[in-house]
Amino acid sequence: MPEQSSSAAAVWSDPEFARAWLGADPQGAGDLLELPRRIAAGLVAEETPAPGLVVDVAGGAGKFLSVLLDAFPGARGVWLDVSATMLDRARSDLARFGDRVDFLMGDMTALRAAGVPGGADVLLSSRASHHLGRAELHGFYREAAGLLAPGGWLVNLDHIAPDDALWDRRYRSVRTRFTPPRPAATAHHHDGPLPTVRDHLDGYRAAGVNEVDIAWKAFYTCLFAGRTAGA
Ligand SMILES: C[S@@+](CC[C@H](N)C(=O)[O-])C[C@H]1O[C@@H](n2cnc3c(N)ncnc32)[C@H](O)[C@@H]1O
């Protein structure tokens, strides 16, 4: 497992940390990321009205996957994460989908080895790839793109590093009005700088997903969406 990825995996595998993070994660109307999750489902629906398989990588409690499974009642889900605490929580939060969801334990930098099947209509991830360095991120996108069906969607909702000091200052000051800082016990260390927008867009293109855009952005969080060439 690559170094940055394995260090992040160790942090999230600590049950105390994972439970504290889950407890502090905003729910309901306070969860600003519900909008980009729904935008992602809407984009998929426009061109892929009946996806058969949705894979959520580093799925945590399964928030993103549940939006897609609600939007597409005929879809099956595959949930993957490295944390046993997240597995327990996802099994409980996704229980209403019954046997539509398969749960896999594994690392996001080794998807095939973890048993993620090919032919996915949507492979998504959220708030996890910022743990990867540029080379790891590109490796993740390459493997993820290879697991997509023709015309499949690669969707990533994640935090990015600012690459402009002026905008960083502006965002930093305004952001706290919308997203209060998390409790210290849930703050997690990052081994390297977060990937930039450019790192993500380059990664999509290097993986052959040339049709990519930032479908939503607020402060330091972006919804990257791209579709592979059709059949
Ligand atoms: C901030 S949480 C986000 C969870 C979920 N995707 C969401 O947005 O609600 C990060 C998740 O990534 C998982 N994770 C971190 N590093 C991982 C890795 N190398 N492989 C698989 N999962 C990983 C953690 O266990 C955790 O569930």
Side-chain angles (χ1 to χ4, degrees), residues 5 8-9 12 21 25 37 56 58-61 63 80-83 86 106-108 126-128 131:
S5 169
W12 287 98
W21 186 90
D25 199 33
R37 292 182 192 115
D56 186 359
K63 280 180 166 182
L80 173 137
D81 201 286
V82 79
S83 157
M86 292 296 182
D107 194 89
M108 66 186 299
S126 115
R127 299 188 286 175
H131 288 296

Side-chain angles (χ1 to χ4, degrees), residues 51-210:
L53 178 62
V54 179
V55 177
D56 186 359
V57 174
K63 280 180 166 182
F64 209 167
L65 184 56
S66 67
V67 170
L68 276 282
L69 292 180
D70 277 330
F72 304 110
R76 296 188 50 76
V78 169
W79 173 101
L80 173 137
D81 201 286
V82 79
S83 157
T85 304
M86 292 296 182
L87 175 64
D88 289 345
R89 178 61 179 267
R91 279 195 189 281
S92 152
D93 286 8
L94 299 173
R96 67 194 174 90
F97 297 110
D99 64 4
R100 286 175 66 198
V101 184
D102 289 321
F103 296 88
L104 298 175
M105 290 291 287
D107 194 89
M108 66 186 299
T109 60
L111 300 175
R112 283 180 204 277
V116 175
D121 299 293
V122 185
L123 188 146
L124 55 87
S125 187
S126 115
R127 299 188 286 175
S129 67
H130 62 272
H131 288 296
L132 308 178
R134 180 179 160 98
E136 289 176 21
L137 177 72
H138 286 200
F140 163 66
Y141 280 142
R142 206 167 31 247
E143 189 174 25
L147 291 165
L148 290 172
W153 293 85
L154 182 56
V155 176
N156 192 8
L157 174 63
D158 205 4
H159 314 306
I160 49 98
D163 52 10
D164 178 315
L166 173 64
W167 281 100
D168 187 21
R169 203 169 61 242
R170 288 173 175 154
Y171 288 153
R172 222 159 268 285
S173 138
V174 174
R175 176 177 66 152
T176 50
R177 294 186 213 164
F178 298 88
T179 53
R182 280 177 165 268
T186 71
H188 49 286
H189 171 73
H190 298 107
D191 282 331
L194 272 59
T196 61
V197 163
R198 173 135 196 201
D199 291 329
H200 284 277
L201 297 178
D202 287 352
Y204 265 74
R205 293 185 182 118
V209 187
N210 294 308

